Amino acid sequence: MTQGFTSGVRRRQAIGLAGAVLGAASGAIPATALAQYGMGAGKAFNGAWPYDMPPTGHYNSYATGNLNLGIYYDLMEMPLGMYYWATGTWMPLMATSWETNVEKATFQVKLRQGAKWSDGSSFGSKDVVNTFMIQKLLNNVVWRYLDRIETPDDYTVNFIMAKPTTTVERYVLRMQIRPSAIYGEWANKVRDIVNKGLTSDSDEWKAVRKDLSEFRPKSQVVSGPFSIDQRSMTEAQLTLVKNASSWAAKNVTFDSITLYNGETPTVTPIVLSKEVDYATHGFPPATEKAFKDLGFRILRPPTYAGPALYFNYAKMPAIAPKAVRQAIAHAIRREIGAAAALGESAEPPKFMAGFSDRLVEKWMTPDQVAKLNRYDYNLATAESLMSGAGYKKGSDGVYVSPDGERMEYEVTVPAEFADNSALAQAVAEQLTAFGIKTAVRLITFTQLTPDTQAGNFQMVIQGWGSGNPHPHFAFVQNLVTWNTPAGAGPAMAYPLIQRVDALGGEVDLDAMVTASAQGLDKDAQKDLIARVALAYNELLPNIPQYERLGNNPAPEGFRVKGWPPVGDPIWENSPYADSFVIMLMLDGTLQAI
Amino acid sequence: MVAVSPPAPPSDTLAASVALAWYAVRSNYVLQRVVKAIVTVFAVATLTFFLVRLMPGNPIEQYIGQLIAQYGLPYSEARDQAASLFVIDLDQPMYLQYLGYIGKLAQGDLGTSIKSQGVKVTTIIVAFLPWTLFCVGISLIVSFVLGIVLGAVMAYWRGSVVDYGLTMIGSLLHSIPNYLIAMILIIFLGVRWELLPVVKMRGSMSPGIQPGFTLTFVLDVLFHATLPIITYVVTTVGTWMLTMKASTTATLEEDYVSFARAKGLSDGRIRTAYVGRNAILPLFTQFTLSIGFVFGGSVLIESIFVYRGIGQILVSAVSGRDYPVMQGCFLITTVSVVFANLLADLLYGYIDPRVRVGQ
Amino acid sequence: MTAATMSLIQAIPGMGALRAIAVTIGALLRQPSGALGFLGVTFFLAMAFIGPAFFPIDIKPKLDKIYLLPSAEYPLGTDYQGRDVLSQIVHGGRDIIIVATTTALITTFVAVTLGALAGFLGGWFDSIVLGIADIILTIPQFPLLLVLASFVRLNNIVLLGVLLAALGWPALMRAIRSQVLSLRQRDYVEAARCLDLGTAHIVFQEILPSMSGYVAISFTLGMINAIFLQVGLIFLGLVPLTGNNWGVMLQLAWVRGAIFYKNALAYILAPVIAISLLQLSLILLARSLEEIFNPRLRKGN
């Protein structure tokens, strides 16, 4: 370490001097000034996250361009808790316990006592209620279900629901709590306008929102074990320094966290030079190979989402019978597209339930799971489904529908996302071989959302699933987001009232999906989710191709030790929604060397 | 600069002053140039105002796209988040927005950023521009001086091996785009031969170094600017060399040089006092003009080396559709080009008596 | 040489252009750098337009063959998806050359027409054309292209060429204009004017032919600039181009981190060298044309 450091300094000096020849000056760099160069003091953890430098970047965590630093935000303004996806339990942080009172439709949270903010003030219920008041100003989703918040004492907060739902638990507990010392006055302004009976479309409301978005706190006040060291910030990197006064600091063995700025291309060389202990960037297979050559461990956390093949029912009437879509599902070997797109980081779904395989057995009984059609690759089944529906192949080997529609289509995909275009290529080749002539149509990624919304496609590769532990959100994504009633345009135009044999009749999918997240009765929700999943599995309004896994390099032994072995339940966590790195750091599993 | 006598004052005073101003402008070369410069800046400001707003996508859509790409959020969640963060009115009629913009511009107000709301565009430019000026300024001077010397050498030893070799090198450097040179530097110096710590050289200064007129700071800044400067110099020196060679060759054939030779003046004196000075003159105008155009080149270089500067801020403003910041960048670059042109025009008259303006 | 060329053009109007081209190529081949440039450009044209017939493109991802070093099977190695790099290089020049040619054609056509008319007519037409040119010249090209590129839809390479030309014509136009201004005073133009042959005839029959050499040089320089700009835009990922194109190869190599992967050297250097060689050939060509058409610039002795 010392050896490498001094030789680094010497080399730097030499280059600085070479640069100085270009400029004018010459001399030697006092070594003391370089003490902080390239690393924080003490035992460091090095990560990577893109950010903007001031004046664009700033400390107002409610406004765009902030320095929240993604997953590392949870180490600064801490949330009430973080979630263990495998077990469905919580890691208590600023809250210590909570419970739902079904009769009173109230979610009650008990806060951590004795916790302090970095400015010395004590943490308490006022901070929580102020945070949620400002979220009301910003029309946060949680306020669709909340009526009001009460604080019986300094360490108790009652969330009284107007529309009771179990999803409020996650909305509340995952909320990062901001310091009243900085945002208290804004909460008061919100109280004023709310008390006046004003709504979000009033001018006063908008004015407060605008003022808040322009508010620039001079410094950070944190509850967590780290805060940004302003002096360390450069275009290339910044350092988070330890806030020893935080209650959460005692388990954390790192003294500082250095984050490198930039997207994948700029971060890649730093990871290759062994300077980064963990990065969430989506690295292409080749870079991953280079990481493996260096002996780095690659973590593959599930994202609970991935690409699916969507159809436009308005533009391809021949796709309307479900038998045709079932045939397509049987005719595509999903492993081929997955391997071409992301290699080991793509996992084809086996249950085809519409939400991640990892969640299926948590929400459905073994009986229900057994009813799911797994759509294994089987051309004979696919062909008999087609002929059963009255589709015949023409002399050119392309299927023709009973109405005379020749099945020749385009699948739209953004050109810039190499994984999705590789998938589209694989799907098109297999469909063409099956008798549905398919060409890949590449568009610019910025055009994907507007074109999908406007129904400007025949088939398109779009997302399925959702990074939320409740399957309700996956079905919203699969059935509602890109469909007529919700979107601005017609999108896929799939009617949500359908006959489902598995459910013995006609069902309203939209109503079922909406109801699946309502109420406080978890068993009733499970029943609805299972019914929606069976319907989705039978109808296949779109066909999921794979679930995307992360490929996060996590080299061990440079600065960090203690990554849990493969198979540890922590690896079920979504890498963005509840970062395992942060949780492992907070509980002391991940340690500095 | 012959003064034209003003016309007899008409009764209407407003018309009179307009007429007076018109005559003043028509008759004064400097004023003429200044008015033209202002008109150009105004035209460019107007053009870019509408151009950036006609770009497909808007700040909110771009932000939603970023959330989806970066965090894998489903569209509906990304849309809700974006809606709660942005407080901008994109529905106001464009001509009203334009009038507002021009009105503020007249008072020197460039507006505020959309991405980082409330931050003045001028604040952003002031924070980023000096780095571009520093890095590009040094490169420009080094490249110019080096090019002049080598170009003169080539001209004096025309046809020699030195001339042939330098011409080949000059053509080669002239032909390779600067971003390719930048990549080649990283690949060979950084990755293959590991001569330079390219990773540590990213950014414009090292963390923890305090700005100030200290040797540490200066050396650190030069350390980080080394690669961008080398890239700029390598890609522009070829052009200066070849231009200087052509210019010197032409000067060497002038009658007064032959005359000086005939008079028996020493070679050294002819080279510096007669040929050198006159050969550099046309290049000087080019030099002034290139000051204005350095911003164009900074975009790619700053992106590759993660160097702080106006090019980098422009690329991020374009991808986030941050209209006011884009306009600010264009305005500042346009103003510098126009100003450099103006300076070149006016200075040239002073330096070269043969073309002194004003007749 | 010039005199011979010009007299040939004037002597046999119909055959003029072809003969002049033949004579020019002959002159080019007699100079070492001219021959190099001419052969280089010919090579790249042949590779881009005939080569694809002999080297089928390899688009099938082969995960077990990622970033192979150059070998007999893959002379330039393989890319991040295990595809042959050589075939991508052979196929990758076509779009770039098409865009560059489109740009150079439009630039030259617009610049010559407007420049000649502005120089010859003078007056308000001259002022307007000059004013527009000045404004376009004032905005730094590359930043403006960052914005304009967002209007280019996928695979619309001709539009990209048009955009590049929209920014490229003013410089050439001004040069043509000043040439016309000086030619205007020549005797034969004066004579034509006295004969009242009409603007179109004088400009296009009397003035422009004598500038054909200059136009050929400008055309080449226009291509060089267009290649520089378009590859830069593609490299930054701001022009949505797909398929096989040296710029896209560079961009993917950058975005996908190949530049930092030692085994990927052949993959990343291949497009870098291809672009550089094409540019160098064009520059040598332009420089030699300059020496042929402008004897004053010919080497001292």
Side-chain angles (χ1 to χ4, degrees):
Chain A
M1 182 71 190
T2 331
Q3 183 75 45
F5 181 64
T6 43
S7 77
V9 168
R10 219 173 293 129
R11 182 187 273 184
R12 255 175 54 72
Q13 267 178 334
I15 297 158
L17 283 173
V21 174
L22 291 170
S26 73
I29 310 175
T32 46
L34 289 167
Q36 312 163 36
Y37 177 72
M39 56 205 78
K43 293 173 174 175
F45 176 93
N46 293 354
W49 201 271
Y51 59 86
D52 287 321
M53 276 289 279
T56 316
H58 57 80
Y59 292 131
N60 179 354
S61 53
Y62 288 108
T64 49
N66 58 38
L67 287 161
N68 284 2
L69 303 171
I71 57 171
Y72 299 97
Y73 183 40
D74 287 329
L75 293 173
M76 299 186 288
E77 288 173 350
M78 286 189 111
L80 295 172
M82 289 180 86
Y83 189 69
Y84 291 107
W85 285 57
T87 55
T89 55
W90 288 85
M91 170 189 234
L93 294 173
M94 299 315 288
T96 47
S97 67
W98 47 87
E99 61 178 348
T100 304
N101 184 326
V102 178
E103 275 158 37
K104 292 183 184 163
T106 296
F107 183 64
Q108 186 182 67
V109 179
K110 291 281 188 191
L111 301 179
R112 185 171 296 276
Q113 304 201 11
K116 292 227 180 297
W117 291 99
S118 57
D119 67 350
S121 59
S122 57
F123 169 84
S125 53
K126 64 177 185 318
D127 298 306
V128 177
V129 73
N130 284 345
T131 298
F132 278 89
M133 277 322 284
I134 298 176
Q135 291 297 350
K136 185 175 182 115
L137 177 76
L138 302 175
N139 299 327
N140 187 290
V141 193
V142 70
W143 280 98
R144 287 183 202 161
Y145 310 106
L146 291 185
D147 177 53
R148 62 187 192 281
I149 303 174
E150 287 170 357
T151 49
D153 62 57
D154 278 355
Y155 298 101
T156 309
V157 187
N158 290 333
F159 295 86
I160 295 118
M161 292 179 259
K163 291 183 208 156
T165 157
T166 52
T167 56
V168 160
E169 176 188 77
R170 182 171 173 84
Y171 287 131
V172 168
L173 292 180
R174 275 306 275 131
M175 181 67 70
Q176 286 93 354
I177 305 302
R178 275 79 157 184
S180 292
I182 290 182
Y183 300 101
E185 50 166 325
W186 293 96
N188 288 335
K189 286 184 194 176
V190 181
R191 275 188 202 97
D192 285 348
I193 53 174
V194 170
N195 289 341
K196 281 187 200 161
L198 295 169
T199 54
S200 61
D201 46 12
S202 68
D203 287 343
E204 257 181 276
W205 188 291
K206 285 180 187 160
V208 178
R209 266 190 71 173
K210 184 165 183 299
D211 289 349
L212 174 64
S213 71
E214 294 177 358
F215 173 56
R216 293 290 178 268
K218 291 217 166 39
S219 59
Q220 263 189 325
V221 172
V222 300
S223 54
F226 289 97
S227 65
I228 295 174
D229 175 14
Q230 286 191 30
R231 276 169 40 112
S232 75
M233 284 189 76
T234 72
E235 217 68 44
Q237 65 188 79
L238 62 74
T239 300
L240 307 180
V241 289
K242 190 83 164 267
N243 166 31
S245 67
S246 166
W247 68 272
K250 60 180 189 301
N251 284 338
V252 181
T253 55
F254 298 96
D255 298 313
S256 67
I257 297 177
T258 292
L259 297 179
Y260 292 96
N261 189 13
E263 301 291 346
T264 312
T266 36
V267 163
T268 304
I270 317 173
V271 181
L272 285 173
S273 65
K274 303 171 183 168
E275 291 292 328
V276 175
D277 300 308
Y278 175 75
T280 49
H281 297 61
F283 293 100
T287 311
E288 196 184 302
K289 198 175 166 184
F291 293 159
K292 282 186 191 159
D293 290 351
L294 288 170
F296 291 180
R297 180 170 169 191
I298 307 286
L299 307 176
R300 297 194 195 281
T303 63
Y304 296 87
L309 182 65
Y310 277 68
F311 307 99
N312 187 336
Y313 293 86
K315 291 208 174 157
M316 38 197 299
I319 208 75
K322 67 186 174 198
V324 176
R325 292 175 328 253
Q326 290 169 342
I328 290 176
H330 276 299
I332 298 174
R333 196 196 290 269
R334 296 188 288 278
E335 290 77 11
I336 294 179
L342 288 172
E344 289 174 59
S345 283
E347 206 174 67
K350 55 178 195 283
F351 293 127
M352 300 293 275
F355 61 106
S356 170
D357 283 354
R358 287 155 206 270
L359 296 174
V360 166
E361 278 155 339
K362 295 191 173 80
W363 285 84
M364 296 171 75
T365 64
D367 286 354
Q368 291 164 332
V369 174
K371 282 187 200 159
L372 292 170
N373 186 340
R374 299 193 177 195
Y375 294 100
D376 293 324
Y377 174 69
N378 190 332
L379 278 182
T381 315
E383 275 161 14
S384 71
L385 278 165
M386 291 300 276
S387 55
Y391 287 65
K392 292 189 178 63
K393 271 187 188 176
S395 57
D396 54 359
V398 176
Y399 274 109
V400 178
S401 79
D403 296 336
E405 182 182 339
R406 188 166 172 272
M407 298 192 78
E408 180 175 355
Y409 307 108
E410 283 181 343
V411 53
T412 301
V413 68
E416 290 83 352
F417 302 158
D419 47 352
N420 280 1
S421 52
L423 168 67
Q425 201 69 47
V427 166
E429 275 170 22
Q430 296 182 67
L431 285 181
T432 305
F434 175 60
I436 298 175
K437 203 172 169 197
T438 308
V440 176
R441 179 182 162 79
L442 294 159
I443 57 163
T444 316
F445 74 105
T446 49
Q447 213 42 48
L448 183 66
T449 300
D451 274 1
T452 312
Q453 252 172 4
N456 193 7
F457 64 91
Q458 288 180 314
M459 292 187 272
V460 66
I461 302 289
Q462 267 286 3
W464 71 280
S466 164
N468 187 301
H470 199 304
H472 158 82
F473 296 92
F475 287 116
V476 169
Q477 169 72 15
N478 301 352
L479 300 171
V480 183
T481 303
W482 303 119
N483 209 348
T484 310
M492 68 171 169
Y494 183 71
L496 288 176
I497 295 178
Q498 292 281 347
R499 239 201 86 74
V500 179
D501 295 339
L503 304 180
E506 197 166 79
V507 293
D508 182 346
L509 289 168
D510 193 19
M512 284 163 72
V513 170
T514 308
S516 71
Q518 284 170 350
L520 299 169
D521 180 354
K522 193 111 188 195
D523 289 332
Q525 286 188 359
K526 279 189 175 175
D527 187 51
L528 271 168
I529 288 295
R531 287 161 58 83
V532 176
L534 285 170
Y536 181 87
N537 180 261
E538 180 183 319
L539 298 171
L540 289 182
N542 27 59
I543 306 179
Q545 295 300 313
Y546 60 79
E547 178 178 339
R548 193 168 68 85
L549 311 182
N551 59 345
N552 310 335
E556 200 158 359
F558 298 115
R559 286 157 296 272
V560 174
K561 62 177 183 195
W563 290 107
V566 179
D568 191 280
I570 194 72
W571 302 126
E572 296 290 298
N573 271 24
S574 162
Y576 301 115
D578 293 273
S579 167
F580 42 79
V581 178
I582 305 304
M583 296 169 79
L584 293 171
M585 220 184 258
L586 286 173
D587 70 11
T589 310
L590 198 62
Q591 292 189 334
I593 291 176
Chain B
M1 322 209 173
V2 182
V4 173
S5 58
S11 49
D12 187 347
T13 47
L14 180 69
S17 43
V18 168
L20 252 173
W22 176 246
Y23 268 94
V25 169
R26 283 302 297 264
S27 58
N28 186 322
Y29 178 78
V30 176
L31 254 181
Q32 233 177 55
R33 294 288 291 113
V34 170
V35 168
K36 197 180 162 206
I38 293 172
V39 171
T40 310
V41 169
F42 175 77
V44 170
T46 305
L47 187 75
T48 50
F49 178 90
F50 289 103
L51 207 55
V52 297
R53 279 169 179 73
L54 289 174
M55 289 168 82
N58 64 41
I60 299 177
E61 280 172 20
Q62 297 294 110
Y63 188 75
I64 293 173
Q66 275 174 22
L67 286 180
I68 294 175
Q70 201 175 341
Y71 300 104
L73 285 188
Y75 176 76
S76 46
E77 267 174 62
R79 186 188 52 202
D80 289 346
Q81 260 202 41
S84 74
L85 286 172
F86 281 97
V87 198
I88 45 168
D89 186 8
L90 294 169
D91 298 332
Q92 206 188 11
M94 215 186 268
Y95 76 95
L96 282 180
Q97 294 182 38
Y98 174 69
L99 290 180
Y101 171 66
I102 291 293
K104 281 186 179 165
L105 192 61
Q107 301 159 27
D109 182 356
L110 297 183
T112 55
S113 164
I114 290 178
K115 188 180 172 196
S116 180
Q117 283 158 57
V119 176
K120 281 194 158 57
V121 174
T122 36
T123 316
I124 295 176
I125 288 178
V126 164
F128 285 84
L129 187 62
W131 293 100
T132 302
L133 288 181
F134 164 76
C135 183
V136 171
I138 290 187
S139 319
L140 205 58
I141 293 165
V142 172
S143 167
F144 185 70
V145 172
L146 204 63
I148 294 279
V149 172
L150 292 177
V153 166
M154 284 155 70
Y156 282 113
W157 284 283
R158 252 175 308 161
S160 71
V161 185
V162 178
D163 174 29
Y164 191 72
L166 284 178
T167 308
M168 275 314 279
I169 294 173
S171 305
L172 192 69
L173 295 182
H174 179 78
S175 60
I176 304 180
N178 53 13
Y179 43 89
L180 294 188
I181 296 270
M183 287 173 85
I184 290 171
L185 285 178
I186 293 184
I187 295 175
F188 284 102
L189 296 182
V191 182
R192 300 294 296 185
W193 303 331
E194 297 184 357
L195 292 176
L196 292 181
V198 279
V199 169
K200 297 217 183 296
M201 292 174 87
R202 298 165 1 118
S204 35
M205 58 188 227
S206 303
I209 297 254
Q210 289 308 300
F213 285 103
T214 60
L215 189 61
T216 317
F217 177 69
V218 171
L219 283 183
D220 186 68
V221 165
L222 283 172
F223 170 71
H224 287 273
T226 304
L227 281 178
I229 290 178
I230 291 178
T231 309
Y232 276 120
V233 171
V234 165
T235 44
T236 52
V237 74
T239 319
W240 293 124
M241 273 163 60
L242 299 175
T243 324
M244 181 63 186
K245 179 193 166 189
S247 175
T248 313
T249 312
T251 318
L252 280 171
E253 284 161 7
E254 295 275 353
D255 293 342
Y256 60 90
V257 177
S258 318
F259 182 68
R261 274 218 183 93
K263 250 175 43 178
L265 287 182
S266 77
D267 259 14
R269 186 154 164 72
I270 294 176
R271 273 175 206 171
T272 49
Y274 283 72
V275 180
R277 270 184 59 179
N278 287 306
I280 293 176
L281 278 180
L283 270 81
F284 184 76
T285 327
Q286 265 192 44
F287 178 75
T288 329
L289 290 180
S290 64
I291 295 174
F293 282 95
V294 293
F295 299 105
S298 71
V299 173
L300 283 153
I301 306 277
E302 284 167 12
S303 303
I304 292 177
F305 292 117
V306 200
Y307 197 81
R308 193 162 195 194
I310 204 88
Q312 208 192 41
I313 206 81
L314 178 64
V315 172
S316 101
V318 167
S319 65
R321 298 285 187 269
D322 197 336
Y323 304 136
V325 176
M326 275 194 268
Q327 282 159 219
C329 290
F330 275 109
L331 200 72
I332 194 80
T333 50
T334 308
V335 166
S336 31
V337 174
V338 168
F339 185 72
N341 281 346
L342 194 64
L343 201 71
D345 268 13
L346 302 181
L347 274 183
Y348 201 60
Y350 274 102
I351 296 168
D352 190 347
R354 287 172 297 183
V355 291
R356 188 157 288 165
V357 290
Q359 291 86 41
Chain C
M1 186 59 54
T2 325
T5 316
M6 291 309 150
S7 58
L8 271 172
I9 293 172
Q10 262 127 31
I12 322 162
M15 289 292 291
L18 279 179
R19 296 283 304 251
I21 291 172
V23 170
T24 312
I25 291 176
L28 271 176
L29 290 177
R30 247 165 276 144
Q31 300 175 312
S33 65
L36 222 68
F38 179 74
L39 292 178
V41 172
T42 316
F43 169 76
F44 277 108
L45 285 175
M47 185 175 92
F49 292 95
I50 306 172
F54 299 98
F55 292 86
I57 185 83
D58 176 15
I59 50 163
K60 203 161 182 61
K62 295 176 277 293
L63 285 183
D64 53 332
K65 292 190 171 170
I66 285 174
Y67 285 142
L68 293 185
L69 293 171
S71 63
E73 194 186 359
Y74 302 107
L76 292 177
T78 57
D79 71 356
Y80 63 98
Q81 287 195 315
R83 302 172 303 187
D84 181 30
V85 172
L86 179 64
S87 77
Q88 294 183 46
I89 289 288
V90 171
H91 287 250
R94 208 184 123 252
D95 285 359
I96 294 201
I97 293 175
I98 290 178
V99 171
T101 316
T102 315
T103 309
L105 275 176
I106 301 174
T107 304
T108 314
F109 178 76
V110 172
V112 167
T113 314
L114 290 183
L117 288 176
F120 188 77
L121 294 176
W124 60 268
F125 184 79
D126 188 31
S127 309
I128 290 178
V129 171
L130 217 55
I132 295 173
D134 275 352
I135 288 177
I136 296 179
L137 279 174
T138 306
I139 315 176
Q141 273 196 338
F142 200 78
L144 186 57
L145 277 171
L146 293 186
V147 171
L148 288 178
S150 67
F151 294 99
V152 178
R153 296 297 291 269
L154 209 63
N155 290 331
N156 197 343
I157 54 174
V158 175
L159 178 62
L160 180 59
V162 173
L163 280 180
L164 293 171
L167 302 185
W169 65 269
L172 179 58
M173 189 282 291
R174 279 169 60 136
I176 299 270
R177 176 181 166 273
S178 59
Q179 291 242 331
V180 170
L181 278 179
S182 75
L183 282 174
R184 210 176 135 168
Q185 316 300 333
R186 299 274 168 90
D187 294 344
Y188 66 96
V189 177
E190 288 292 324
R193 217 190 292 205
C194 292
L195 289 172
D196 206 12
L197 288 176
T199 307
H201 178 90
I202 298 173
V203 170
F204 294 104
Q205 301 284 319
E206 307 291 337
I207 296 183
L208 286 183
S210 63
M211 288 170 49
S212 54
Y214 188 78
V215 170
I217 297 161
S218 307
F219 185 87
T220 321
L221 293 176
M223 282 185 74
I224 293 167
N225 194 35
I227 293 174
F228 172 84
L229 290 173
Q230 65 163 318
V231 176
L233 287 174
I234 301 169
F235 174 71
L236 279 186
L238 291 167
V239 185
L241 276 187
T242 58
N244 299 282
N245 164 329
W246 298 333
V248 174
M249 288 175 76
L250 273 182
Q251 202 237 345
L252 288 174
W254 177 249
V255 174
R256 318 219 98 207
I259 186 171
F260 298 105
Y261 186 51
K262 292 193 178 192
N263 285 357
L265 187 70
Y267 168 54
I268 189 144
L269 278 188
V272 167
I273 291 173
I275 296 165
S276 303
L277 282 183
L278 174 59
Q279 293 285 74
L280 185 63
S281 307
L282 283 167
I283 283 192
L284 288 176
L285 186 68
R287 195 147 291 146
S288 306
L289 284 174
E290 226 168 325
E291 287 183 7
I292 290 168
F293 289 112
N294 191 353
R296 246 199 95 193
L297 278 183
R298 225 178 285 170
K299 288 213 179 86
N301 24 35

